[in-house]
Amino acid sequence: MRICAFRDITAFILDTASRAGLIDVAVNYVKNADEAHADLKTRQADLVFMSYDDTLSLALQDHDRDIAVVMPVHGGILDLCGELDLARGKAVVGIDTDSGYARALRHYLHGRYPAAEDYARLQWVRAGATNLRYEKLVAGQLDATLLNPPYSLKPGIARLGDLRGSIGAYQGVVANVNQSSLTDARQRAAVIAFIRAFLQTVDDMKAQPEPTIERLAQYYGVPSEDARAVHRRLWEPDGLAVGKELDRDQLVGTERLFSADTGIAVPALRTWVLSL
């Protein structure tokens, strides 16, 4: 199976499931959400992991009637990292694209800097996917950006706060397919089997903390103490999904931000959400 994903904690889960022989996948780790969109539209991937906001962007802005969400992955696990000192002038804030987590971050920073003259000092730059934004933050090319584990918990990374208090329930990454591909019985069975294996891996990560922490330390090359902090963060309210059904409150929270930013009302009937 061909997978398109970002190098967040999803990469660790996919690698763990693959090493355990639960899945057989070829993964394209993308540099930004535009690449993920393209992989789905051109059928270069069977499953595409990206934010639910990006799903909404494709379904409601690009009018993609074929896109479908088949599994939640996590609630974003988002921390604003870096430093913001507007007294020194403009602050460079890194985002991936204008969709996705950028909508949540703009909402958060509007609340943090309600004065128009302060908010105008934020300089938004497209800096790529999470792992790339982390590298640019460390290199001093960004003042602040959203990160999630493990990057948000790397040594030397200052966390300015998580977004939960501002944005509430939020659906981060989801697994997307082209609905029409599921008319093939073998493909549908393969997707269902993948979902089962992925969620089993997540269940094992939660139920077996010590071996998981050891693997996290090895996989990311971090001390056990840092790996333990990553593991702990994964099970907070905005952390990993432990079932295949999407949480309504998380969907609504993301949809509310999407509508506020785009002016597009989200229909009550979510034709882009499937339960397999």
Side-chain angles (χ1 to χ4, degrees), residues 77-220:
I77 332 177
L78 298 170
D79 291 293
L80 180 61
C81 298
E83 180 182 2
L84 285 174
D85 185 359
L86 298 188
R88 298 187 308 184
K90 284 189 175 293
V92 180
V93 181
I95 56 176
D96 181 353
T97 62
D98 291 331
S99 62
Y101 298 153
R103 297 196 215 277
L105 182 56
R106 288 194 293 268
H107 174 85
Y108 175 81
L109 291 177
H110 265 300
R112 184 165 176 157
Y113 301 110
E117 61 270 22
D118 289 337
Y119 188 81
R121 291 192 178 97
L122 301 174
Q123 181 180 343
W124 302 88
V125 298
R126 290 194 175 201
T130 306
N131 58 309
L132 301 179
R133 297 198 308 276
Y134 164 76
E135 292 173 1
K136 291 174 183 177
L137 183 66
V138 171
Q141 298 172 21
L142 303 174
D143 292 310
T145 190
L146 283 179
L147 297 177
N148 48 26
Y151 306 104
S152 56
L153 296 167
K154 289 268 192 176
I157 294 298
R159 294 188 300 283
L160 304 178
D162 65 57
L163 269 64
R164 285 175 295 173
S166 172
I167 65 175
Y170 183 80
Q171 180 60 62
V173 168
V174 293
N176 299 265
V177 300
N178 288 297
Q179 294 193 46
S180 57
S181 70
L182 301 180
T183 58
D184 183 305
R186 287 179 298 179
Q187 180 66 8
R188 187 181 185 90
V191 170
I192 292 172
F194 174 88
I195 292 172
R196 186 181 301 116
F198 188 93
L199 292 174
Q200 180 60 58
T201 303
V202 172
D203 285 345
D204 291 344
M205 287 170 56
K206 187 174 184 179
Q208 303 168 20
E210 293 308 318
T212 302
I213 290 166
E214 182 178 344
R215 266 199 42 76
L216 282 165
Q218 294 173 347
Y219 187 80
Y220 291 114

Side-chain angles (χ1 to χ4, degrees), residues 1 208 218 232 272:
M1 178 172 285
Q208 303 168 20
Q218 294 173 347
R232 184 167 56 247
W272 55 85

Side-chain angles (χ1 to χ4, degrees), residues 27-92:
V27 186
N28 174 34
Y29 289 111
V30 296
K31 296 179 179 179
N32 54 52
D34 289 337
E35 188 178 348
H37 294 184
D39 273 7
L40 186 67
K41 288 181 176 180
T42 62
R43 298 176 182 265
Q44 295 301 303
D46 302 303
L47 272 170
V48 174
F49 288 77
M50 60 185 178
S51 77
Y52 180 58
D53 185 283
D54 281 300
T55 305
L56 295 172
S57 296
L58 291 178
L60 301 177
Q61 289 183 298
D62 294 357
H63 306 291
D64 183 343
R65 306 304 183 199
D66 202 24
I67 189 172
V69 174
V70 293
M71 178 183 68
V73 179
H74 59 65
I77 332 177
L78 298 170
D79 291 293
L80 180 61
C81 298
E83 180 182 2
L84 285 174
D85 185 359
L86 298 188
R88 298 187 308 184
K90 284 189 175 293
V92 180

